[in-house]
Each structure stands twice: as C-alpha cells, then as structure tokens.
Amino acid sequence: MLTLQWESEGLQTVGIVVIICASLKLLHLLGLIDFSEDSVEDELEMATVRHRPEALELLEAQSKFTKKELQILYRGFKNECPSGVVNEETFKEIYSQFFPQGDSTTYAHFLFNAFDTDHNGAVSFEDFIKGLSILLRGTVQEKLNWAFNLYDINKDGYITKEEMLDIMKAIYDMMGKCTYPVLKEDAPRQHVETFFQKMDKNKDGVVTIDEFIESCQKDENIMRSMQLFENVI
C-alpha cells in the first residue's frame, strides 16, 4: 500500500509528482534508466527505423541533454520502439505495469497527449526528448508550463474545474485506492474544489497559466516535488 499524507492539497501535489514519476517509469521500461556506455555509437543509427529523428545536433540544441546522453537515449528508444514512435496503447501498457492495482488508462491517455505535441497520434523520439528534458532538467517555470498543458485538456489556454477534476479522477483511479488511508470516492472533487478556489484568483471560473504558476510556486510541497528528479540521467 502506498502511504501518503493526504492534506487539503495533497492530491494536487501528487498530481505534479506523478507526472515526473510516470515519466521515469517510462524510461525504465524502455531500458533508458540503467545506462551502459560500453558500446555507444558515435552517431545515431537511423537506417533501420521508419521514423527518422531530427539531427543529433538540433536535438542537443533544443534539449538539456548532451550529445552522449542523446546517443544513449536513442539506442534504448530504438531497441524498444523499432518503428521510431510510441503509440498510445504502449503508454497504457507501461502505466498498467507501473500501477497494477489501479486503472491507469485515463491518466496514460492524458499524459500521452501532453507528450504528443503535434497531435499526430504518436510520440516520436523528438517529442519524448523535448518533454523529458523539461521534466527532468527544465526550470520550475518550464515544468509548470508543461504541467499546465497536461491539465489543459482541450488546449484552449485555460484550465476549467471540470478539466482539473478529470485529471484528479484519473490520478485517483490510477493510485488512489492503493493509498493508506484509503481515499473516499469524493476525495478528488473535494481536493479540486479547494485547490481551484485558490488558483482562480479573479473568480471567473477558469485558471490561466499565470494563475496556475503563481499558485504552484506558493505551494512548498509542489516546489519540493519539482526538485526531486533533477539530474536523474
């Protein structure tokens, strides 16, 4: 059982942490966390995959990874995803292994959409690297921008209470029933009501990115969570 202290804003904080934890699990299951540099090639091997990634130098410029790290990441990505892309079903399979006692389907769907920045139904190596670079090595501002994009389900530039509730329910379905003490069924709605009221500064029924970032930056738990997984690779 997962033991967590569920205070008034606990589920929201966990929502931020789970974004990063789940991404690390994706790395692990793709064989990218436990690195070995014994036989790293000097350049990317691209001839055998159907999706050709951008030039290594361009990805290095667009991310916070070094050329050597990108070579290692690509080797693992290619070995596990010969087509060069990860589809939504693969995401769902990965998170079902990470949270076997819960239902991670909906959360995996939302997270997949956040990584799939061009909305073509597939996460390429470029998509993966750009998102991972922010989550692991981005500034607090960059990480919160990424998290806002996750919560902004319809990508209209605002987070509604319904969108926040959908994310919170997805997190609850994925891990809530494995916590101690066990969360009540209405816990996601209660947490959203509390946190949304704090975020929606002007009480217009939506949360802007500025309101989201300001509220998160004032939350010590969320700020600590932003630092937990830095320099993992």
Side-chain angles (χ1 to χ4, degrees):
M1 299 287 280
L2 180 63
T3 302
L4 294 169
Q5 182 176 356
W6 296 100
E7 298 178 351
S8 61
E9 299 169 6
L11 198 58
Q12 184 75 18
T13 302
V14 169
I16 300 293
V17 175
V18 165
I19 294 171
I20 303 176
C21 286
S23 301
L24 293 179
K25 188 60 177 180
L26 180 62
L27 275 174
H28 174 70
L29 290 174
L30 288 176
L32 304 178
I33 279 288
D34 189 12
F35 294 132
S36 172
E37 299 189 26
D38 293 341
S39 59
V40 177
E41 300 173 356
D42 292 333
E43 298 296 336
L44 291 177
E45 297 178 12
M46 295 183 283
T48 60
V49 296
R50 292 192 293 275
H51 174 84
R52 289 176 176 270
E54 297 171 0
L56 191 61
E57 292 76 14
L58 182 57
L59 278 179
E60 185 178 3
Q62 293 176 339
S63 73
K64 298 180 187 295
F65 296 120
T66 65
K67 181 177 179 180
K68 180 67 70 175
E69 289 170 332
L70 288 169
Q71 288 172 331
I72 297 169
L73 285 164
Y74 182 69
R75 176 181 289 277
F77 191 92
K78 187 188 69 174
N79 286 341
E80 296 298 325
C81 308
S83 67
V85 296
V86 179
N87 60 31
E88 186 171 335
E89 288 308 309
T90 301
F91 254 65
K92 291 178 179 179
E93 290 173 8
I94 288 171
Y95 292 114
S96 67
Q97 294 178 51
F98 193 15
F99 299 97
Q101 296 178 323
D103 182 359
S104 60
T105 303
T106 303
Y107 188 79
H109 168 73
F110 291 141
L111 197 61
F112 178 85
N113 286 341
F115 271 101
D116 181 19
T117 54
D118 53 8
H119 309 298
N120 66 351
V123 173
S124 66
F125 182 65
E126 296 93 329
D127 294 331
F128 186 64
I129 287 299
K130 291 170 186 176
L132 197 65
S133 176
I134 292 172
L135 291 173
L136 296 186
R137 298 197 177 160
T139 64
V140 168
Q141 181 90 11
E142 289 171 334
K143 292 176 181 178
L144 291 177
N145 280 335
W146 200 94
F148 180 88
N149 179 61
L150 173 72
Y151 281 84
D152 179 17
I153 295 173
N154 67 359
K155 312 306 178 192
D156 65 350
Y158 302 95
I159 299 174
T160 65
K161 188 180 295 185
E162 290 72 23
E163 286 176 321
M164 187 176 289
L165 183 58
D166 285 343
I167 297 290
M168 288 297 102
K169 283 181 176 178
I171 293 172
Y172 173 75
D173 288 342
M174 183 168 61
M175 62 185 297
K177 296 175 183 177
C178 301
T179 64
Y180 182 82
V182 176
L183 291 175
K184 297 179 181 179
E185 287 293 332
D186 62 347
R189 184 173 296 278
Q190 291 178 351
H191 286 298
V192 167
E193 288 290 342
T194 300
F195 211 77
F196 196 89
Q197 289 300 317
K198 291 185 177 182
M199 282 191 166
D200 184 14
K201 300 294 185 181
N202 61 0
K203 309 304 178 186
D204 63 351
V206 296
V207 172
T208 65
I209 190 166
D210 290 337
E211 290 173 327
F212 181 84
I213 290 174
E214 180 183 350
S215 297
C216 288
Q217 287 179 331
K218 290 180 179 179
D219 187 298
E220 293 182 1
N221 292 326
I222 291 178
M223 287 300 95
R224 281 196 297 268
S225 77
M226 294 289 99
Q227 313 301 324
L228 289 179
F229 305 104
E230 291 184 351
N231 300 316
V232 172
I233 59 177

